[in-house]
Amino acid sequence: MLLTSYLLAGLALLLAWPIPVALSRAHWTARSPFAAMVVWQAIALAGGLSMIGALLFWGLDPLGDTLIGALRGGLRLVLGDPEANSPGTIHIFALSTAALLGFHLVLTLIRAAWRITRQRARHRHILSLLTEESAGNPGTLVLDHETPIAYCLPGFTGSVTVLSRGLVKRLSPDELRAVLAHEKAHLEQRHDLLLLAFASWNDALPWLPTSKLSLAAVQELVEMLADDAALREVTAPVLLRALLTVATGALGEPSGKSPAPLPAAGTGGAPTEELSSHRLRRLLTPKPPLPAAMRATILAAALLLLALPTTMLVAPGLFS
């Protein structure tokens, strides 16, 4: 039990700093956003399991040599068996910290989901007052404003894409198709759920380097995935022109006018999307996707990374 606790603690440290830092600096992620997304998810899940598992196993060590044995020892202690070992103060502290950390992570996720759901409901209500249905594009609302805006508002009871009238006027038919395909990919692939999970992780553990790096990386990766979906319908120059037109909405019109104020849409529904230098470079000088063998290797490594702490928790005797 104690050895497993040390191994989990070491893995947690690796996943808290050097591994996410190295991944955030890697150049291959732009060539395979999906594989990179899977790796980030594996890092976050394995890191959380390792942190909680290390504290849990350390606290349970006086009660038994295995997880099952420790649980039995704890039950005997609760039932008042005088021969049952009693954990010390430091072990009780470790168990309490593990329980509080797990509860904190789950509670933060629930609170974030509830807050964003309410924000989206208010946003949807205001959109019903300020927009009208697009005649030629089902599921698309048009906002009567000249500032170029495009975003999507996900929801389980109906998702919509929002465009401003000014943007529709500026875009050619192909550019408009590119923007709609981009936003449609966000909705169909449920990028909002991915962003919700990583935003909650960052809210729960803002001091952890992994949470900040992973959130920033995932925010960019979901945009790359949406770009790839749009590129299946239009060419890169068309998509780039459309994205640049939308990006000017974040800077405001030359006259200083800004869109009518709307409440924050929450994760996956921000009125503007940052066109990062990585995305620009990816569209201006496209590189071939990673070979299938390399993608398979990366995905296998991610699964192995997630399986390692899981196996330690389920069968700690294998590492003793």
Side-chain angles (χ1 to χ4, degrees):
M1 291 283 285
L2 199 57
L3 176 60
T4 304
S5 174
Y6 292 151
L7 291 174
L8 286 169
L11 181 60
L13 288 175
L14 289 175
L15 295 174
W17 180 249
I19 291 180
V21 169
L23 181 59
S24 67
R25 296 174 180 174
H27 297 291
W28 64 265
T29 54
R31 298 175 59 190
S32 184
F34 175 77
M37 183 75 74
V38 172
V39 174
W40 277 114
Q41 291 179 75
I43 289 175
L45 290 171
L49 288 174
S50 298
M51 283 191 294
I52 295 174
L55 293 168
L56 179 65
F57 276 41
W58 190 22
L60 290 176
D61 181 63
L63 299 176
D65 296 331
T66 64
L67 181 59
I68 300 299
L71 293 176
R72 289 175 178 171
L75 180 60
R76 291 169 54 198
L77 183 64
V78 171
L79 294 177
D81 187 345
E83 297 183 359
N85 292 330
S86 178
T89 302
I90 192 169
H91 298 98
I92 295 176
F93 175 78
L95 288 173
S96 301
T97 303
L100 288 174
L101 179 57
F103 179 76
H104 177 57
L105 292 174
V106 173
L107 181 61
T108 302
L109 178 61
I110 294 174
R111 288 178 58 190
W114 173 252
R115 182 181 69 251
I116 288 174
T117 300
R118 295 183 62 187
Q119 288 176 344
R120 288 176 181 166
R122 291 196 298 267
H123 194 132
R124 186 67 179 266
H125 174 68
I126 293 180
L127 285 176
S128 68
L129 302 175
L130 300 177
T131 62
E132 60 183 21
E133 288 278 351
S134 173
N137 301 293
T140 302
L141 302 177
V142 179
L143 178 66
D144 189 13
H145 202 279
E146 292 303 313
T147 300
I149 300 173
Y151 65 96
C152 58
L153 187 63
F156 291 104
T157 58
S159 303
V160 294
T161 296
V162 181
L163 306 176
S164 68
R165 195 173 302 281
L167 179 66
V168 175
K169 291 178 181 178
R170 294 184 185 202
L171 297 179
S172 68
D174 284 345
E175 291 168 353
L176 179 59
R177 189 153 53 95
V179 170
L180 291 174
H182 179 99
E183 301 302 336
K184 182 181 178 182
H186 282 316
L187 296 175
E188 290 185 344
Q189 298 177 23
R190 294 314 307 247
H191 292 161
D192 58 301
L193 298 181
L194 286 170
L195 291 172
L196 171 62
F198 282 93
S200 299
W201 178 261
N202 185 58
D203 289 343
L205 304 171
W207 45 268
L208 193 65
T210 308
S211 60
K212 296 182 177 64
L213 291 173
S214 61
L215 178 58
V218 169
Q219 286 173 336
E220 188 171 58
L221 288 172
V222 295
E223 297 302 330
M224 291 182 180
L225 288 170
D227 288 344
D228 289 346
L231 288 173
R232 288 192 282 270
E233 298 196 20
V234 299
T235 62
V238 171
L239 176 60
L240 184 57
R241 288 197 304 270
L243 292 178
L244 288 173
T245 301
V246 175
T248 60
L251 302 177
E253 292 293 292
S255 60
K257 296 180 180 179
S258 59
L262 292 172
T267 306
T272 56
E273 294 173 349
E274 180 183 358
L275 188 57
S276 66
S277 59
H278 291 98
R279 288 178 67 198
L280 277 174
R281 192 180 310 117
R282 191 169 181 261
L283 293 172
L284 288 171
T285 57
K287 295 182 179 180
L290 292 179
M294 186 174 295
R295 292 198 304 271
T297 301
I298 292 172
L299 293 175
L303 292 176
L304 180 62
L305 177 61
L306 182 57
L308 186 58
T310 304
T311 304
M312 289 184 183
L313 291 172
V314 175
L318 297 177
F319 299 88
S320 301

